[in-house]
Amino acid sequence: VGLVLLSPLMLLIAILIKLDSPGPVFYAQERMGLDAKPFWMLKFRSMRADAEANGPGWTTANDPRRTRLGAIIRRLSLDELPQLINVLLGEMSLVGPRPERPVFVEQFKRSIPRYMDRHWEKAGITGWAQVNGLRGDTSIVERTKYDLWYIENWSLWLDFKIILRTIINVFRSKNAY
């Protein structure tokens, strides 16, 4: 339903990306999901096509790799809309711990207690950590605590609250870049 309702907006974003900078419309990045299985997470491309020429890295505030349009769609989290395709394919859920790249999962599982427990649930487009301000360049240790709390206290009502808070937070998040 979300894909159908949002398809006009997604088409507009795709056209604007093509007009704004050279390169593909979509960006597929390997992430780790349920049971730590890898999958290709889809996003609208918001950075230059050569953004990772020097290897993977975290996005930072005022990241020079962003395109002009990329700065806007990242600020409004519109770059995440193609993940609805991942949900349709069963690779992600609307709500759950945000998936990380394999290179970072390897690093975090050695240094953060219970980090791998996050993979007991399907990865989500949004999550408890994100609606509590832990997105972007924020503490992975804190995000993990929130993700584990979500897994241990899951309910349909909690998912509903997270989705509502996500919609509200889109317009006031400080850490979306």
Side-chain angles (χ1 to χ4, degrees):
V1 171
L3 275 171
V4 172
L5 294 176
L6 293 168
S7 62
L9 175 61
M10 292 175 71
L11 178 61
L12 175 63
I13 293 169
I15 292 168
L16 292 174
I17 289 170
K18 287 307 276 182
L19 293 173
D20 183 52
S21 65
V25 168
F26 295 107
Y27 176 68
Q29 188 177 68
E30 188 177 29
R31 298 288 181 112
M32 303 293 279
L34 180 64
D35 297 328
K37 290 183 181 158
F39 70 96
W40 292 96
M41 186 177 82
L42 300 174
K43 296 179 91 168
F44 280 122
R45 185 177 56 81
S46 61
M47 299 211 177
R48 295 186 327 257
D50 67 346
E52 293 197 327
N54 296 323
W58 292 104
T59 305
T60 58
N62 302 314
D63 197 312
R65 301 173 300 163
R66 291 180 308 177
T67 63
R68 289 175 304 192
L69 179 64
I72 297 166
I73 65 173
R74 288 178 78 92
R75 171 71 183 90
L76 297 172
S77 298
L78 297 174
D79 61 320
E80 310 284 352
L81 291 177
Q83 290 166 40
L84 291 170
I85 296 168
N86 292 109
V87 172
L88 186 65
L89 295 173
E91 298 166 329
M92 291 180 74
S93 178
L94 291 176
V95 180
R98 285 293 292 161
E100 290 292 348
R101 299 173 74 170
V103 64
F104 296 128
V105 170
E106 285 302 313
Q107 176 186 338
F108 299 152
K109 77 180 187 182
R110 290 190 299 268
S111 60
I112 300 171
R114 295 190 61 209
Y115 179 80
M116 292 306 289
D117 293 359
R118 300 170 72 255
H119 296 93
W120 291 348
E121 295 291 327
K122 203 174 271 191
I125 294 176
T126 187
W128 186 239
Q130 287 68 39
V131 298
N132 282 286
L134 296 168
R135 56 181 297 198
D137 193 15
T138 58
S139 168
I140 299 298
V141 172
E142 285 302 307
R143 278 194 236 172
T144 301
K145 288 177 188 175
Y146 277 80
D147 289 339
L148 295 175
W149 184 91
Y150 167 79
I151 291 167
E152 293 164 359
N153 294 279
W154 178 87
S155 71
L156 195 54
W157 176 245
L158 179 58
D159 277 2
F160 182 71
K161 283 176 29 181
I162 291 170
I163 290 169
L164 283 177
R165 284 183 61 183
T166 297
I167 293 167
I168 293 166
N169 285 350
V170 161
F171 300 104
R172 52 182 194 168
S173 178
K174 297 178 293 210
N175 296 324
Y177 43 76

